[in-house]
Amino acid sequence: MRVWAIANQKGGVGKTTTTVALAGLLADAGKRVVVVDLDPHGSMTSYFGHDPDALEHSCFDLFLHQGGVPQGLPGELLLPTSHERISLLPSSTALATLERQSPGQNGLGLVVAKSLTQLWEDFDFALIDSPPLLGVLMVNALAASQQLAIPVQTEFLAVKGLERMVSTLAMINRSRKQALPYSIVPTLFDRRTQASLSTLRFLRDTYPEHLWQAYIPVDTRLRDASRAGVTPSQFDANSRGVIAYRALLKHMLALVPAIQVA
């Protein structure tokens, strides 16, 4: 199983859309995918028609065992989605209380990694939607992942969030045996606006080694897919947004040449 995290320390940059779009394209190609919603806001859980305020069980349950994960628990928490090859480990608002509970508890940073180990043979890919906050949940996402995508809205304030994210990643990498490879993904690009154009130029000048050279455009079809509760490729496989995400997926997979997607 390959594990990808989608993270940024700023909200509203397209993390959930990126997670769902990539998961959908992988599933369309026959891959078995589990998506993990670690954001207490539960955007991805809501995307697939589940209410994070009403769920009795969620990813929160994984953190209730002093850093251990009972055998079989991750599989019991899985929920269906609109795509038969995508399963969801849902979020709940209870996740927001973890930061208050975590001090003094050892091993909480590896809970998601331990949970995915139990699902290793059941899925080809795991995609983790992270919260826009540095804390135990983001640490879990980064510790569990083998690759990272950092969506960055092409506007000035989002660039400041990227700077914080890159700084966080440097800190995390000091505790990893191997540095986490990452790709910066420009999102919500509108070529009609000077803000998008200048931000894209700044990203290309400042992060040439890690920047995916294309971008995800503004596309109302992505929002329509969200409203319908289906992956973007299920909603409109030929939309501008899906075509862009298909190119991003090829870029991500190029870092893992052993895995082929039709």
Side-chain angles (χ1 to χ4, degrees), residues 1-261:
M1 180 165 68
R2 301 298 302 180
V3 184
W4 297 350
I6 293 81
N8 193 332
Q9 286 176 241
K10 185 183 185 305
V13 297
K15 293 189 304 296
T16 297
T17 298
T18 297
T19 306
V20 173
L22 292 174
L25 290 168
L26 286 166
D28 292 345
K31 304 301 180 183
R32 302 164 300 166
V33 184
V34 57
V35 289
V36 184
D37 191 353
L38 290 186
D39 190 340
H41 292 108
S43 296
M44 186 163 62
T45 300
S46 298
Y47 189 115
F48 284 120
H50 303 284
D51 184 354
D53 294 319
L55 289 175
E56 291 187 21
H57 300 286
S58 70
C59 284
F60 181 69
D61 296 40
L62 301 171
F63 292 88
L64 301 179
H65 308 280
Q66 303 299 312
V69 180
Q71 188 62 37
L73 178 59
E76 295 171 4
L77 298 175
L78 293 174
L79 295 177
T81 72
S82 61
H83 201 300
E84 63 180 2
R85 294 191 184 92
I86 301 176
S87 297
L88 169 70
L89 267 174
S91 172
S92 69
T93 50
L95 281 172
T97 68
L98 271 182
E99 301 302 330
R100 297 197 300 271
Q101 300 177 18
S102 58
Q105 292 194 49
N106 294 324
L108 285 189
L110 296 176
V111 167
V112 171
K114 293 175 182 177
S115 301
L116 292 179
T117 297
Q118 294 192 27
L119 302 174
W120 210 259
E121 300 301 322
D122 299 322
F123 296 96
D124 302 302
F125 284 83
L127 274 62
I128 306 172
D129 189 9
S130 306
L133 174 71
L134 176 58
V136 66
L137 292 169
M138 182 178 287
V139 167
N140 263 269
L142 298 181
S145 62
Q146 300 153 337
Q147 282 178 250
L148 170 65
I150 307 177
V152 180
Q153 183 181 359
T154 46
E155 59 95 25
F156 177 71
L157 290 178
V159 169
K160 305 305 290 184
L162 172 62
E163 293 171 358
R164 291 192 294 272
M165 188 68 219
V166 171
S167 176
T168 294
L169 192 56
M171 178 187 68
I172 295 290
N173 279 339
R174 286 195 288 269
S175 64
R176 291 176 63 104
K177 296 180 180 178
Q178 186 174 358
L180 180 63
Y182 66 95
S183 298
I184 298 168
V185 180
T187 60
L188 297 166
F189 179 79
D190 187 346
R191 65 172 57 255
R192 298 169 298 179
T193 68
Q194 188 58 41
S196 277
L197 293 169
S198 61
T199 301
L200 187 61
R201 281 196 300 268
F202 174 85
L203 291 173
R204 287 174 172 170
D205 291 342
T206 309
Y207 302 97
E209 293 183 5
H210 294 283
L211 181 71
W212 175 52
Q213 291 300 310
Y215 53 80
I216 306 298
V218 171
D219 184 355
T220 58
R221 303 297 277 171
L222 296 175
R223 185 172 63 244
D224 294 341
S226 173
R227 188 179 299 114
V230 299
T231 69
S233 55
Q234 284 178 303
F235 188 81
D236 185 350
N238 296 311
S239 69
R240 291 186 304 139
V242 170
I243 291 170
Y245 274 117
R246 196 171 286 123
L248 174 61
L249 178 60
K250 290 181 179 179
H251 167 78
M252 298 284 289
L253 289 171
L255 303 177
V256 192
I259 297 176
Q260 299 295 325
V261 171

